[in-house]
Amino acid sequence: MSAASPGRRGPRGPSARLLARLTAIVVALAPLPAAAQDLGWSIENELSGSLFFGNTRQTLFTGRTAVARADSAYELKGSVRFTYGESSNEDDGAYVSKRSWLGSLNYDHRPLARWSTFLISTLETSLEKRIDFRYDFGFGEKLTFVRTATTRADISVAILGERTYLPQPVLDATENLLRWSGRARYQRQMNDRVRVSHETAYRPVVDDFGRFTLRSTTSVAIQLASFANLNVSFLDNYDSEARRRGARSNNDGQLVLGLLTSF
């Protein structure tokens, strides 16, 4: 009887299929290789700004500090960003156009695995988006599908409880929402001196996807020294409810140039 006859089980029989499934599960759960800079303590500080002049004058300053601790069991990261901007034109004269704080705290369980569970919390105040104070807390699952010496890419999904204190007397004092959160991140070391990174976070209200926030950051870092980089960043924040709260626009974009140090 030939190997292809029904009386014998070839390499695609039930045992082979079961072995293939078990192998796929083991590979999916196995930790990904980590670069040396992924482990231990790390600190980043960034100072950036931009200046426009002419018929409309605008100055912008932003500062960011991030501290992280990572090993094979967990990763804990906290960051704070402050933004301040002034504008002037013939109609309005000089005025403060931007003043905001954004803080975040992330706990990632088994960060070197392909699949990892995480906790996330953010705090925010924003003059330009008319937010007196906003905080949220949630949990989710992250899939890291690329982690090499030069490239990292992951996607994640989470659910968040959010509470916002709004300006009065235009709106009610507080607003409580439940949001989904979808996030995609990509980072690549192009060569010995240039690193490119991108992150997009989309957060719609659970029962109304027309109400959402979208935060996107794209950066190019050019190494000047072992610990210092020239950093060019484009930040774009969209809040579908900002104009309803009295903001000039739902969208807020920034292109800044600055110095990034890491230790």
Side-chain angles (χ1 to χ4, degrees):
M1 186 178 293
S2 66
S5 64
R8 294 179 61 186
R9 291 177 178 173
R12 295 192 176 276
S15 298
R17 288 196 296 269
L18 178 59
L19 179 60
R21 291 173 183 172
L22 291 174
T23 302
I25 292 173
V26 171
V27 170
L29 295 178
L32 292 166
Q37 63 267 27
D38 291 337
L39 305 179
W41 286 96
S42 63
I43 301 174
E44 285 189 349
N45 295 292
E46 181 181 359
L47 291 175
S48 303
S50 62
L51 172 65
F52 299 92
F53 55 90
N55 293 326
T56 299
R57 180 181 176 184
Q58 183 182 48
T59 58
L60 178 70
F61 163 81
T62 179
R64 181 180 67 91
T65 296
V67 180
R69 170 70 170 88
D71 59 27
S72 60
Y74 74 93
E75 180 181 31
L76 184 64
K77 181 177 182 179
S79 67
V80 177
R81 179 186 291 274
F82 173 69
T83 301
Y84 181 84
E86 291 186 356
S87 300
S88 64
N89 55 45
E90 294 181 356
D91 297 329
D92 300 326
Y95 61 92
V96 177
S97 56
K98 300 180 186 297
R99 186 175 63 240
S100 63
W101 289 90
L102 179 65
S104 66
L105 183 64
N106 298 283
Y107 174 84
D108 201 337
H109 180 61
R110 297 178 65 242
L112 303 185
R114 293 184 184 272
W115 292 93
S116 60
T117 302
F118 65 91
L119 302 175
I120 183 171
S121 180
T122 59
L123 307 172
E124 180 181 9
T125 68
S126 176
L127 171 69
E128 59 272 22
K129 291 192 289 185
R130 300 299 188 265
I131 297 173
D132 283 352
F133 184 64
R134 171 183 285 172
Y135 65 91
D136 60 51
F137 179 81
F139 65 93
E141 194 76 9
K142 181 185 72 175
L143 169 62
T144 303
F145 52 91
V146 178
R147 188 196 295 272
T148 67
T150 60
T151 307
R152 180 185 303 177
D154 63 65
I155 56 175
S156 64
V157 176
I159 190 166
L160 307 167
E162 176 187 281
R163 185 176 181 88
T164 304
Y165 294 86
L166 302 170
Q168 296 181 350
V170 179
L171 301 168
D172 294 335
T174 60
E175 183 177 60
N176 300 310
L177 294 174
L178 192 64
R179 292 185 184 270
W180 294 110
S181 175
R183 184 187 66 189
R185 297 188 298 187
Y186 177 81
Q187 180 177 298
R188 181 170 177 80
Q189 189 75 35
M190 306 300 294
N191 53 48
D192 291 341
R193 297 188 59 198
V194 180
R195 184 178 73 247
V196 177
S197 60
H198 175 81
E199 178 177 339
T200 294
Y202 170 59
R203 294 183 172 185
V205 175
V206 167
D207 57 354
D208 187 355
F209 275 59
R211 302 172 62 190
F212 66 92
T213 65
L214 182 67
R215 180 177 290 117
S216 177
T217 303
T218 302
S219 300
V220 178
I222 303 172
Q223 188 175 27
L224 303 177
S226 59
F227 63 91
N229 299 272
L230 178 67
N231 202 51
V232 182
S233 299
F234 176 69
L235 301 88
D236 192 23
N237 296 323
Y238 185 90
D239 187 332
S240 63
E241 302 292 291
R243 292 190 66 181
R244 185 180 69 87
R245 295 191 296 265
R248 292 172 177 263
S249 172
N250 287 338
N251 198 60
D252 179 33
Q254 305 167 19
L255 179 63
V256 293
L257 174 68
L259 183 67
L260 171 68
T261 60
S262 57
F263 304 93

